[in-house]
């Protein structure tokens, strides 16, 4: 994602047809596995596995559509974290149709947590419709890849993208570099309660850059980066 061939056009995806066929698992099922059968309802405990799975499923999709290429391919069901796998009728499963379907009804049940993943997917694509980063040309710049903090920062499509993949560390007043001076506001937050997050960043927060260079960028700003969350900031 951060070191692919310059100007080589790429279609990017998180989950493909082959990954979810013949007994293999969907991305969500790899993250949450059997707890998807027992803890995907808002009426049940939000276990560490479910919390981690919801957070990473959103972050994985966002970093992939942000850095992966010039096109984004969604395999049906990935937009709401479909469990299990797909398996067409064959001799090995007794010619059963049991797994030859996607359960699109899961997003229609307001008690289930799939709605959060679906809302996020819709917001992510609406943001791309507005800023067109997939076709924005060559304005992509990765300014930070900090393995210790597990923080990734880049610019693309006139937006500033901030990822904190750390499982436990949240960072207050984390300095990040940027090409653009001025005021920044939140365009997308994976941790928003509307997307099943914890709401640790104020959606109305404003961030102001200074003329202090940072990570080879002419300006910088201080941000709060909660663990296992990503922010996309827009600037005035």
């Amino acid at each position: 994602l951060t070191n692919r061939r310059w100007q080589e056009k790429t279609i990017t995806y998180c989950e493909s047809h082959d990954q979810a066929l013949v007994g293999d698992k969907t991305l969500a099922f790899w993250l949450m596995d059997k707890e998807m059968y027992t803890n995907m309802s808002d009426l049940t405990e939000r276990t560490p596995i479910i919390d981690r799975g919801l957070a990473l499923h959103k972050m994985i999709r966002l970093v992939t559509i942000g850095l992966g290429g010039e096109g984004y391919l969604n395999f049906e069901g990935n937009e709401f974290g479909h469990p299990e796998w797909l398996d067409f009728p064959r001799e090995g499963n007794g010619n059963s149709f049991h797994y030859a379907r996607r359960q699109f009804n899961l997003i229609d049940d307001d008690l289930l947590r799939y709605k959060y993943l679906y809302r996020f997917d819709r917001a992510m694509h609406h943001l791309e419709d507005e800023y067109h980063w997939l076709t924005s040309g060559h304005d992509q710049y990765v300014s930070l890849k900090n393995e210790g903090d597990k923080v990734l920062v880049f610019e693309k499509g006139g937006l500033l993208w901030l990822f904190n993949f750390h499982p436990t560390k949240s960072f207050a007043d984390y300095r990040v570099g940027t090409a653009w001076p001025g005021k920044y506001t939140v365009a997308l937050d994976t941790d928003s309660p509307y997307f099943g997050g914890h709401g640790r960043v104020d959606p109305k927060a404003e961030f102001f850059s200074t003329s202090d260079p940072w990570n080879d960028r002419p300006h910088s700003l201080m941000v709060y980066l909660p663990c296992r969350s990503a922010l996309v900031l827009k600037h005035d």
Side-chain angles (χ1 to χ4, degrees), residues 108-230:
D108 296 327
D109 190 335
D110 197 51
L111 288 178
L112 297 180
R113 292 179 169 127
Y114 297 97
K115 65 179 180 288
Y116 300 128
L117 298 177
Y118 184 66
R119 288 173 183 172
F120 175 76
D121 203 82
R122 183 170 55 192
M124 182 176 73
H125 285 287
H126 282 175
L127 190 65
E128 204 289 323
D129 284 342
E130 182 178 357
Y131 286 91
H132 306 290
W133 64 76
L134 287 173
T135 55
S136 63
H138 313 305
D139 68 336
Q140 175 179 306
Y141 188 87
V142 180
S143 61
L144 179 65
K145 295 180 286 185
N146 191 308
E147 296 287 351
D149 293 344
K150 303 189 186 303
V151 170
L152 174 68
V153 178
F154 61 92
E155 300 156 6
K156 187 159 186 198
L159 297 167
L160 184 61
W161 308 62
L162 317 165
F163 290 79
N164 178 8
F165 282 97
H166 203 286
T168 57
K169 281 187 180 180
S170 297
F171 300 102
D173 295 330
Y174 198 92
R175 185 177 293 277
V176 297
T178 178
W180 313 293
K183 182 178 74 174
Y184 287 72
T185 55
V186 177
L188 189 63
D189 175 15
T190 64
D191 197 47
S192 166
Y194 187 66
F195 305 138
H198 298 283
R200 291 169 289 179
V201 174
D202 183 353
K204 297 181 180 180
E206 296 180 342
F207 308 88
F208 295 89
S209 70
T210 65
S211 56
D212 302 305
W214 196 258
N215 291 332
D216 295 323
R217 310 312 281 155
H219 309 279
S220 60
L221 61 151
M222 308 287 274
V223 295
Y224 172 45
L225 290 180
C227 60
R228 281 197 184 128
S229 72

Side-chain angles (χ1 to χ4, degrees), residues 1-2 4 8-16 19 59-75 78 124-125 128 133-134 140 156:
L1 290 174
T2 60
R4 58 191 181 88
E8 182 177 79
K9 292 185 177 181
T10 304
I11 299 295
T12 185
Y13 56 87
C14 306
E15 182 177 305
S16 73
Q19 284 171 253
M59 294 182 72
I60 289 169
R61 281 180 288 159
L62 187 62
V63 73
T64 302
I65 198 174
L67 276 183
E70 290 67 44
Y72 182 75
L73 175 68
N74 185 73
F75 181 65
N78 181 254
M124 182 176 73
H125 285 287
E128 204 289 323
W133 64 76
L134 287 173
Q140 175 179 306
K156 187 159 186 198

